Amino acid sequence: MPTGVSEKPTASNAPAWRAVFGNGIERQSGAAPSFTLRVPSEDALDHILATDTYSAAMAFVRGEFDVEGDLVEAVRFKGWQPHSRLRKKLLGTVARCASVLEETFQTKAQAARDIRFHYDRSNEFYQLFLDPRMVYSCAYFRNPEATLEQAQLAKLDHICRKLDVSHGERFLDIGCGWGALVLRAAGRYGAFATGCTLSLAQHRYATTRVREEHLDGCVHILEQDYRDLTGSYDKIASVGMFEHVGRRRAPVYFRKMAQLLSPGGLFLNHAIARAQGVGDDAASLFVRRRIFPGGELIHLYEVIREAENAGFEVLDVENLRPHYARTCRMWEERLTANREAALRLVDEATYRAWRIWLAASSLGFEEGFNSIYQVLMAKRGGTRRRATREYMYPPERS
């Protein structure tokens, strides 16, 4: 799941737009506007354009203006507008301080509260924009024409193939969400699969799915912090969970993965990373306050450094950035199309916050401020591994 956005688009031309004011007067820039801003007055529009990203996002959440059409392009357009450098600096400082405080004082109980703030809104809310398997991470569009449903199934298989999941192996999914990956690993690849989550709603849903698919004997869903897990696993996946760990706890995280991984096993870490030079800013503050408390993005080199310090050897790194840009855009479009149903489950401010977050996340991936990496690892010095990548691409299986 995405947790970071960017303020600065890099496209060569600002998006075309149209504004409609409360008195019916219109203003247009460009020949073919991709979105329309509905604002009370020209003064209100000028204020939105001049203010910082955080303030503009909060104004949208409060309903002070609306966007019709392509919300991603509207966010891109906002990034072109000048605003106070002093306020931008101030908000960046506040965001960095908030990040340090959250990292320093986060207990396991606080981690659970943060997770439940985001994931326990209701399963029905997530069903409005996710695929039927409830996969809440970057899809994998092997075919450019693939639907979201097809791309998410392809992603599950992509992970299982990279990990070379085989019949009878012990498979662990750290932060298993609604259970799609463990169900696929067990049902299609024959693994004995375990998933853990701190979300009560996810735990209930995944446990029900296990029973419905008659996989009770080979899939177990734990409501548990990963730091409290015991045992040994042949293959471990962490998909969209590392963003909750943070820079200060990364060493403990990788040491725990090394402890849980059996000799000769494989570990895949699928996580968002920031581009070098990108740090906390006004957009980060919005995400931390409205969407993902306790979340933090770090850089790829930090991920690899901490993994190697814990005794891992990196075998393969794949960047899926364009796939996540497309995934977030699809999620935002689906949520927008289901507005009335969403407002029966959450309030207007929450619905708007999620829309603008998904749109901004799509843009952040599109512009390269954030990327999503699958890093495949093994314990250093192991010999039980494939010599090439060919095993990752076997003939298609249904």
Side-chain angles (χ1 to χ4, degrees):
M1 58 290 167
T3 61
V5 296
S6 165
E7 294 189 26
K8 300 177 181 178
T10 59
S12 58
N13 296 301
W17 55 278
R18 182 171 71 111
V20 178
F21 306 109
N23 59 9
I25 295 175
E26 298 185 10
R27 185 196 299 181
Q28 183 168 320
S29 173
S34 56
F35 64 91
T36 297
L37 295 169
R38 292 198 172 273
V39 290
S41 65
E42 293 195 60
D43 287 344
L45 175 64
D46 291 341
H47 174 71
I48 290 166
L49 299 186
T51 194
D52 58 89
T53 305
Y54 178 81
S55 299
M58 289 304 299
F60 178 79
V61 168
R62 291 191 296 266
E64 294 175 12
F65 70 96
D66 211 346
V67 178
E68 296 175 357
D70 194 331
L71 187 56
V72 174
E73 289 304 304
V75 176
R76 190 195 311 275
F77 165 70
K78 170 56 193 161
W80 274 83
Q81 307 309 310
H83 49 73
S84 166
R85 291 181 179 273
L86 179 61
R87 182 163 172 78
K88 179 182 176 182
K89 260 187 170 180
L90 174 63
L91 289 169
T93 300
V94 172
R96 287 189 291 275
C97 290
S99 176
V100 170
L101 287 172
E102 286 177 350
E103 280 194 72
T104 303
F105 297 106
Q106 189 194 67
T107 62
K108 290 181 181 179
Q110 184 59 50
R113 285 193 291 271
D114 290 343
I115 292 293
R116 290 164 188 168
F117 175 89
H118 184 82
Y119 295 99
D120 285 1
R121 295 189 177 280
S122 75
N123 292 333
E124 293 76 15
F125 176 71
Y126 285 95
Q127 286 171 331
L128 296 177
F129 61 94
L130 299 183
D131 64 294
R133 287 183 172 82
M134 298 281 280
V135 184
Y136 191 32
S137 52
C138 176
Y140 185 56
F141 295 91
R142 294 187 66 186
N143 178 350
E145 305 303 319
T147 64
L148 181 63
E149 291 76 10
Q150 292 167 336
Q152 288 293 16
L153 179 58
K155 189 270 297 298
L156 300 179
D157 285 334
H158 194 52
I159 290 171
C160 288
R161 288 169 178 173
K162 275 190 177 183
L163 285 169
D164 203 13
V165 176
S166 303
H167 185 82
E169 287 189 321
R170 296 157 298 174
F171 174 81
L172 174 64
D173 184 8
I174 301 288
C176 67
W178 288 273
L181 182 56
V182 287
L183 290 167
R184 187 65 174 174
R188 185 65 191 88
Y189 296 87
F192 289 102
T194 299
C196 68
T197 177
L198 289 173
S199 164
L200 304 177
Q202 288 182 338
H203 179 263
R204 287 194 297 267
Y205 183 93
T207 301
T208 300
R209 286 282 309 280
V210 170
R211 288 196 300 267
E212 290 173 348
E213 297 196 19
H214 308 291
L215 291 170
D216 310 60
C218 50
V219 177
H220 299 283
I221 308 295
L222 306 175
E223 183 196 323
Q224 193 170 11
D225 191 296
Y226 76 92
R227 289 166 286 192
D228 296 327
L229 292 173
T230 58
S232 178
Y233 298 89
D234 302 299
K235 306 293 168 62
I236 301 176
S238 175
V239 183
M241 177 272 174
F242 184 70
E243 296 86 346
H244 296 284
V245 173
R247 182 174 286 106
R248 290 172 182 262
R249 289 181 294 278
V252 172
Y253 169 85
F254 282 110
R255 287 198 298 269
K256 184 63 178 181
M257 297 304 106
Q259 176 189 333
L260 293 169
L261 188 66
S262 65
L266 295 174
F267 167 46
L268 184 139
N269 199 66
H270 170 120
I272 301 169
R274 280 186 169 146
Q276 193 64 25
V278 177
D280 284 327
D281 56 13
S284 309
L285 188 62
F286 176 83
V287 173
R288 189 168 283 118
R289 288 183 172 178
R290 300 294 307 194
I291 306 292
F292 263 111
E296 184 186 25
L297 302 183
I298 66 176
H299 304 294
L300 178 62
Y301 83 89
E302 295 174 295
V303 173
I304 293 175
R305 181 189 65 200
E306 298 304 338
E308 290 185 336
N309 286 342
F312 282 110
E313 176 185 4
V314 173
L315 306 181
D316 191 270
V317 178
E318 183 177 13
N319 186 342
L320 301 179
R321 178 175 64 81
H323 298 265
Y324 220 169
R326 186 173 176 185
T327 303
C328 290
R329 180 180 278 273
M330 285 184 162
W331 284 343
E332 192 279 322
E333 289 171 350
R334 286 180 171 217
L335 183 58
T336 300
N338 287 303
R339 178 181 182 276
E340 296 306 318
L343 292 178
R344 290 194 289 269
L345 300 168
V346 298
D347 59 29
E348 179 83 28
T350 299
Y351 165 74
R352 285 173 167 267
W354 278 68
R355 277 196 64 205
I356 199 166
W357 167 60
L358 290 172
S361 295
S362 178
L363 180 63
F365 288 115
E366 179 186 322
E367 298 286 355
F369 288 91
N370 298 319
S371 288
I372 179 83
Y373 294 99
Q374 289 188 348
V375 182
L376 183 67
M377 303 171 240
K379 289 184 177 179
R380 190 177 300 121
T383 57
R384 289 174 51 198
R385 64 186 62 171
R386 305 279 193 164
T388 72
R389 282 179 165 183
E390 296 302 313
Y391 78 93
M392 298 183 188
Y393 309 100
E396 289 297 322
R397 296 193 281 186
S398 60

